[in-house]
Amino acid sequence: GQNIDQPTEMTATEGAIVQINCTYQTSGFNGLFWYQQHAGEAPTFLSYNVLDGLEEKGRFSSFLSRSKGYSYLLLKELQMKDSASYLCAGMDSNYQLIWGAGTKLIIKP
Amino acid sequence: IAGITQAPTSQILAAGRRMTLRCTQDMRHNAMYWYRQDLGLGLRLIHYSNTAGTTGKGEVPDGYSVSRANTDDFPLTLASAVPSQTSVYFCASSDGGTTDTQYFGPGTRLTVL
């Protein structure tokens, strides 16, 4: 079956670094997405990885290892506005997204 | 209009009633999607449309129907609502490019009593 696993909740301190992990099992693989979702709002696109390695985009970076079925989202210099849920999604062979339940990130001052 | 709009923002509905959730995009995206999001679960695909005139079933299609008469609009209909359809519904569209990134509307919060 297809499955995405990520931690339910994480807590970090303002100004620090946090890594949110995601493991995936999909039928075929056409990339791994990360979205940010603030409470009561729509998910917004953060990053896409299809090749192994690290993609850096400002304070946010995303890593993929296809052989391990593993990805992480790295957030640096945390700000209070980064408090949100982070959704991991794998794209299968039919180009459909399989979604994890999301990781709620709580930032403390 | 800029991006994707959904209507209504929220709705309380009696069980057994018919309801249509509206979704409109102005980005000329070919593909559109309907998801439901429930606490503790990931987004689950209800129906999708790869292009105007075609639709397909997702993971949880039962009790829902869609149509795609043109590129911009993708309404979702609940023929006879049940309490288990209480959820937040998101419409999305994708650009079909190399990454096929999906962009989401603001959502409709539906409560079925």
Side-chain angles (χ1 to χ4, degrees):
Chain A
Q2 305 196 96
N3 192 53
I4 304 286
D5 282 320
Q6 52 181 132
T8 303
E9 187 175 295
M10 299 182 70
T11 302
T13 304
E14 190 177 16
I17 299 173
V18 71
Q19 178 175 311
I20 303 174
N21 296 323
C22 170
T23 57
Y24 65 88
Q25 278 183 304
T26 56
S27 301
F29 180 73
N30 281 300
L32 194 291
F33 290 80
W34 285 96
Y35 280 75
Q36 181 189 60
Q37 186 177 25
H38 285 100
E41 298 183 8
T44 56
F45 170 73
L46 285 178
S47 68
Y48 169 77
N49 295 66
V50 68
L51 300 176
D52 289 350
L54 187 69
E55 295 274 347
E56 297 187 72
K57 203 185 285 187
R59 295 189 299 114
F60 291 10
S61 303
S62 55
F63 172 84
L64 177 68
S65 168
R66 289 174 298 172
S67 63
K68 295 181 179 178
Y70 167 70
S71 173
Y72 67 73
L73 181 70
L74 190 72
L75 292 73
K76 303 176 184 176
E77 301 169 13
L78 286 169
Q79 302 175 10
M80 297 304 292
K81 68 179 182 179
D82 298 330
S83 293
S85 288
Y86 292 86
L87 313 181
C88 176
M91 181 170 276
D92 68 12
S93 57
N94 292 320
Y95 295 91
Q96 301 291 359
L97 286 178
I98 310 301
W99 295 84
T103 298
K104 182 178 180 180
L105 179 62
I106 299 168
I107 310 295
K108 295 186 174 180
Chain B
I1 298 177
I4 302 180
T5 58
Q6 293 184 234
T9 302
S10 65
Q11 182 75 44
I12 299 174
L13 190 66
R17 297 297 295 266
R18 180 184 179 89
M19 175 75 192
T20 295
L21 308 185
R22 299 185 297 280
C23 174
T24 300
Q25 54 107 355
D26 66 355
M27 298 178 284
R28 309 304 295 172
H29 286 171
N30 281 324
M32 297 187 74
Y33 312 84
W34 274 105
Y35 291 95
R36 60 178 289 173
Q37 188 175 40
D38 302 290
L39 199 62
L41 299 177
L43 288 160
R44 291 183 291 170
L45 183 65
I46 304 170
H47 285 286
Y48 65 93
S49 169
N50 287 330
T51 190
T54 69
T55 62
K57 294 181 179 180
E59 179 186 356
V60 288
D62 295 343
Y64 306 94
S65 63
V66 292
S67 62
R68 187 88 184 278
N70 57 60
T71 298
D72 298 346
D73 301 300
F74 191 42
L76 176 74
T77 297
L78 290 67
S80 179
V82 295
S84 62
Q85 292 177 312
T86 294
S87 188
V88 180
Y89 291 86
F90 286 104
C91 179
S93 69
S94 64
D95 55 14
T98 306
T99 65
D100 203 25
T101 301
Q102 293 186 17
Y103 300 91
F104 286 79
T108 294
R109 183 173 295 275
L110 182 67
T111 302
V112 183
L113 302 177

